[in-house]
Short mmCIF file of all heavy atoms in Angstrom, two decimals:
data_model
loop_
_atom_site.label_atom_id
_atom_site.label_comp_id
_atom_site.label_asym_id
_atom_site.label_seq_id
_atom_site.Cartn_x
_atom_site.Cartn_y
_atom_site.Cartn_z
N GLN A 238 45.05 39.66 -50.69
CA GLN A 238 45.15 40.44 -49.44
C GLN A 238 45.21 39.59 -48.18
O GLN A 238 45.48 40.10 -47.10
CB GLN A 238 43.97 41.41 -49.35
CG GLN A 238 43.99 42.47 -50.44
CD GLN A 238 42.79 43.40 -50.36
OE1 GLN A 238 42.52 44.00 -49.34
NE2 GLN A 238 42.06 43.50 -51.46
N VAL A 239 44.92 38.30 -48.31
CA VAL A 239 44.93 37.44 -47.11
C VAL A 239 46.38 37.08 -46.81
O VAL A 239 47.11 36.62 -47.70
CB VAL A 239 44.06 36.18 -47.33
CG1 VAL A 239 44.05 35.31 -46.08
CG2 VAL A 239 42.63 36.58 -47.71
N VAL A 240 46.81 37.32 -45.57
CA VAL A 240 48.24 37.25 -45.25
C VAL A 240 48.80 35.84 -45.35
O VAL A 240 49.76 35.60 -46.08
CB VAL A 240 48.51 37.83 -43.84
CG1 VAL A 240 50.01 37.82 -43.55
CG2 VAL A 240 47.98 39.25 -43.74
N SER A 241 48.23 34.88 -44.59
CA SER A 241 48.74 33.51 -44.74
C SER A 241 47.61 32.51 -44.76
O SER A 241 47.32 31.86 -43.75
CB SER A 241 49.79 33.15 -43.70
OG SER A 241 49.39 33.55 -42.44
N PRO A 242 46.96 32.40 -45.91
CA PRO A 242 45.83 31.49 -46.01
C PRO A 242 46.28 30.04 -45.83
O PRO A 242 47.30 29.64 -46.39
CB PRO A 242 45.29 31.72 -47.42
CG PRO A 242 46.42 32.34 -48.17
CD PRO A 242 47.26 33.07 -47.18
N GLU A 243 45.51 29.28 -45.04
CA GLU A 243 45.88 27.89 -44.80
C GLU A 243 45.10 26.96 -45.72
O GLU A 243 45.60 25.92 -46.16
CB GLU A 243 45.55 27.57 -43.34
CG GLU A 243 46.09 26.26 -42.87
CD GLU A 243 45.81 26.08 -41.39
OE1 GLU A 243 46.03 27.02 -40.60
OE2 GLU A 243 45.34 24.99 -41.04
N PHE A 244 43.86 27.37 -46.03
CA PHE A 244 43.03 26.52 -46.89
C PHE A 244 42.11 27.44 -47.70
O PHE A 244 41.37 28.24 -47.13
CB PHE A 244 42.20 25.56 -46.04
CG PHE A 244 41.52 24.50 -46.84
CD1 PHE A 244 42.17 23.30 -47.15
CD2 PHE A 244 40.22 24.68 -47.32
CE1 PHE A 244 41.54 22.32 -47.90
CE2 PHE A 244 39.60 23.71 -48.08
CZ PHE A 244 40.26 22.52 -48.37
N VAL A 245 42.19 27.32 -49.01
CA VAL A 245 41.41 28.21 -49.89
C VAL A 245 40.45 27.38 -50.73
O VAL A 245 40.86 26.45 -51.43
CB VAL A 245 42.35 29.02 -50.82
CG1 VAL A 245 41.54 29.99 -51.69
CG2 VAL A 245 43.41 29.77 -50.03
N ALA A 246 39.17 27.73 -50.67
CA ALA A 246 38.16 27.03 -51.49
C ALA A 246 37.49 28.04 -52.41
O ALA A 246 37.43 29.24 -52.10
CB ALA A 246 37.13 26.37 -50.58
N LEU A 247 37.01 27.56 -53.54
CA LEU A 247 36.42 28.45 -54.55
C LEU A 247 35.21 27.80 -55.19
O LEU A 247 35.18 26.59 -55.41
CB LEU A 247 37.48 28.76 -55.61
CG LEU A 247 37.09 29.61 -56.81
CD1 LEU A 247 38.27 30.49 -57.25
CD2 LEU A 247 36.62 28.78 -58.00
N ASP A 248 34.22 28.62 -55.48
CA ASP A 248 33.05 28.17 -56.24
C ASP A 248 32.94 29.08 -57.46
O ASP A 248 33.40 30.23 -57.43
CB ASP A 248 31.80 28.30 -55.36
CG ASP A 248 30.60 27.58 -55.94
OD1 ASP A 248 30.75 26.85 -56.93
OD2 ASP A 248 29.50 27.76 -55.40
N THR A 249 32.37 28.57 -58.51
CA THR A 249 32.19 29.43 -59.68
C THR A 249 30.91 29.03 -60.39
O THR A 249 30.19 28.14 -59.94
CB THR A 249 33.43 29.35 -60.61
OG1 THR A 249 33.33 30.40 -61.58
CG2 THR A 249 33.56 28.00 -61.32
N MET A 250 30.59 29.69 -61.46
CA MET A 250 29.41 29.29 -62.23
C MET A 250 29.61 29.53 -63.72
O MET A 250 30.60 30.13 -64.14
CB MET A 250 28.11 29.87 -61.66
CG MET A 250 27.88 31.31 -61.77
SD MET A 250 26.65 31.99 -60.59
CE MET A 250 25.28 30.94 -60.58
N GLU A 251 28.65 29.00 -64.47
CA GLU A 251 28.80 28.94 -65.93
C GLU A 251 29.23 30.27 -66.55
O GLU A 251 30.11 30.31 -67.40
CB GLU A 251 27.49 28.45 -66.55
CG GLU A 251 27.60 28.21 -68.03
CD GLU A 251 26.32 27.63 -68.61
OE1 GLU A 251 25.61 26.89 -67.90
OE2 GLU A 251 26.04 27.93 -69.79
N CYS A 252 28.60 31.38 -66.11
CA CYS A 252 28.90 32.64 -66.81
C CYS A 252 30.36 33.03 -66.65
O CYS A 252 30.97 33.58 -67.58
CB CYS A 252 27.96 33.76 -66.35
SG CYS A 252 28.05 34.18 -64.63
N TYR A 253 30.98 32.73 -65.49
CA TYR A 253 32.40 33.07 -65.31
C TYR A 253 33.29 32.09 -66.07
O TYR A 253 34.36 32.47 -66.55
CB TYR A 253 32.76 33.12 -63.82
CG TYR A 253 31.90 34.13 -63.08
CD1 TYR A 253 31.07 33.74 -62.02
CD2 TYR A 253 31.87 35.46 -63.48
CE1 TYR A 253 30.26 34.65 -61.38
CE2 TYR A 253 31.06 36.38 -62.83
CZ TYR A 253 30.25 35.97 -61.79
OH TYR A 253 29.44 36.87 -61.16
N ILE A 254 32.86 30.84 -66.18
CA ILE A 254 33.64 29.85 -66.95
C ILE A 254 33.67 30.28 -68.43
O ILE A 254 34.69 30.21 -69.10
CB ILE A 254 33.02 28.44 -66.81
CG1 ILE A 254 33.14 27.97 -65.36
CG2 ILE A 254 33.70 27.45 -67.76
CD1 ILE A 254 32.40 26.68 -65.06
N LEU A 255 32.54 30.77 -68.91
CA LEU A 255 32.46 31.14 -70.32
C LEU A 255 33.11 32.49 -70.60
O LEU A 255 33.79 32.67 -71.60
CB LEU A 255 31.00 31.15 -70.78
CG LEU A 255 30.30 29.78 -70.77
CD1 LEU A 255 28.83 29.93 -71.10
CD2 LEU A 255 30.98 28.82 -71.73
N GLN A 256 32.90 33.46 -69.69
CA GLN A 256 33.33 34.83 -70.00
C GLN A 256 34.68 35.22 -69.39
O GLN A 256 35.30 36.19 -69.82
CB GLN A 256 32.27 35.83 -69.52
CG GLN A 256 30.98 35.74 -70.34
CD GLN A 256 29.79 36.31 -69.58
OE1 GLN A 256 29.95 37.15 -68.71
NE2 GLN A 256 28.60 35.85 -69.89
#
Side-chain angles (χ1 to χ4, degrees):
Q238 295 178 55
V239 181
V240 183
S241 45
E243 190 176 314
F244 191 87
V245 182
L247 176 146
D248 192 9
T249 192
M250 69 201 314
E251 187 176 328
C252 62
Y253 302 120
I254 294 172
L255 295 174
Q256 291 158 25

